[in-house]
């Protein structure tokens, strides 16, 4: 096991940058990769991203799930890439992915396409007027289309990771899985979940874990327990 196994991304789903920095300090060397989401954007999220990278040598995944007309997405991504982010999410619609890749050109930032949120199930898709069909089939098709549009990777639940990994288009691309819950953890608002080991074995390159780490009495110990679970699983 290595304490800096980058397959684990801890979601800093806390109110502001001060809380996020405090949590990262409690985690110390146990975690090398962090996710900063939309909820922290107005609480200093971009400043935290820069501090984690520049002063603490951490990797940063900015989870913005951008969606807009192509020109707006391209401009937004170009601006965000000035922060030297490692990963950035956009919605997986092909026109959005293509625009994001244009905006990220020349930067180190990899663009991840969101397929179907892991908090949604078929009933949610029906309410949103998404076409009929199995959720996993729609996820796989959206992943294939995102790869064709140039995405460096996709966001998908652990339930779909193996199906996406089997796609010819997935060669050399990243699969990042939220909805990961260590054994015994509450599902909370996630509906398509798996344990860390299950997600990695299914084909994920990175797993995203939030509340089971930062709500633990000892967050560093919780992170190390996940790393221990992953330690015997070969990297993809």
């Amino acid at each position: 096991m290595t304490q800096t196994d980058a397959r684990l991304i801890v979601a800093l789903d806390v109110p502001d940058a001060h809380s996020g920095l405090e949590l990262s300090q409690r985690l110390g060397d146990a975690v090398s990769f962090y996710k900063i989401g939309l909820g922290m954007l107005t609480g200093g999220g971009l400043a935290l991203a820069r501090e984690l990278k520049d002063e603490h040598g951490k990797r940063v995944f900015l989870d913005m799930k951008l969606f807009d007309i192509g020109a707006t997405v391209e401009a937004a991504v170009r601006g965000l890439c000035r922060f030297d982010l490692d990963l950035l999410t956009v919605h997986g619609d092909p026109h959005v992915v293509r625009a994001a890749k244009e905006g990220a050109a020349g930067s180190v930032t990899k663009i991840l396409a969101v397929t179907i949120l892991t908090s949604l199930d078929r009933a949610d898709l029906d309410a949103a007027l998404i076409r009929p069909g199995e959720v996993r089939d729609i996820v796989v098709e959206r992943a294939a289309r995102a790869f064709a549009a140039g995405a460096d990777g996709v966001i998908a639940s652990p339930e779909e990771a193996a199906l996406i990994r089997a796609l010819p288009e997935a060669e050399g691309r990243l699969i990042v899985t939220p909805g990961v819950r260590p054994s015994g953890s509450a599902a909370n608002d996630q509906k398509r979940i798996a344990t860390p080991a299950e997600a990695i074995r299914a084909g994920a390159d990175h797993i995203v874990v939030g509340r089971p780490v930062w709500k633990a009495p000892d967050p560093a110990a919780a992170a190390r327990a996940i790393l221990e679970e992953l330690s015997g699983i070969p990297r993809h």
Side-chain angles (χ1 to χ4, degrees), residues 178-190 193-196 198 208-212 229:
V180 174
R181 292 289 184 268
S183 297
S185 297
N188 301 117
D189 54 0
Q190 301 290 353
I193 64 175
T195 66
E198 288 168 344
V208 180
V209 184
R211 281 163 287 197
E229 184 177 334

Side-chain angles (χ1 to χ4, degrees), residues 13-234:
D13 295 332
V14 291
D16 52 47
H18 177 77
S19 302
L21 184 60
E22 184 180 68
L23 176 58
S24 73
Q25 290 169 341
R26 291 182 68 191
L27 290 166
D29 292 337
V31 176
S32 63
F33 213 150
Y34 288 100
K35 180 178 85 75
I36 295 174
L38 192 60
M40 199 199 283
L41 187 61
T42 58
L46 291 176
L48 177 60
R50 175 161 284 172
E51 183 166 352
L52 288 173
K53 287 192 66 70
D54 295 347
E55 298 183 26
H56 301 280
K58 304 297 185 180
R59 298 175 68 186
V60 173
F61 163 23
L62 192 65
D63 187 20
M64 293 290 102
K65 300 183 181 71
L66 298 173
F67 181 88
D68 212 309
I69 63 171
T72 300
V73 170
E74 181 179 344
V77 171
R78 184 174 292 111
L80 289 170
C81 285
R82 294 198 299 261
F83 290 85
D84 293 327
L85 305 164
D86 295 277
L87 304 174
L88 173 66
T89 52
V90 303
H91 275 272
D93 304 60
H95 82 277
V96 175
V97 174
R98 285 191 292 268
K101 286 295 291 180
E102 286 292 327
S107 77
V108 299
T109 303
K110 294 185 181 299
I111 299 298
L112 302 181
V114 176
T115 53
I116 299 292
L117 298 176
T118 52
S119 60
L120 304 182
D121 57 19
R122 184 62 254 179
D124 298 312
L125 300 190
D126 289 341
L129 304 180
I130 303 298
R131 70 169 174 82
E134 294 288 335
V135 173
R136 65 181 183 181
D137 295 336
I138 296 173
V139 168
V140 173
E141 184 174 347
R142 281 180 61 81
R145 293 186 182 195
F147 289 146
D152 299 297
V154 294
I155 304 289
S157 90
E159 293 184 4
E160 297 100 26
L163 296 170
I164 294 171
R165 181 56 68 200
L167 291 171
E169 301 94 328
E171 180 70 27
R173 313 294 180 96
L174 296 173
I175 299 175
V176 179
T177 57
V180 174
R181 292 289 184 268
S183 297
S185 297
N188 301 117
D189 54 0
Q190 301 290 353
K191 294 180 180 177
R192 305 190 330 272
I193 64 175
T195 66
E198 288 168 344
I200 293 294
R201 287 195 179 100
D205 296 283
H206 299 281
I207 58 171
V208 180
V209 184
R211 281 163 287 197
V213 169
W214 59 259
K215 279 194 169 184
D218 184 342
R224 289 191 180 100
I226 294 171
L227 295 175
E228 181 64 36
E229 184 177 334
L230 302 183
S231 62
I233 306 173

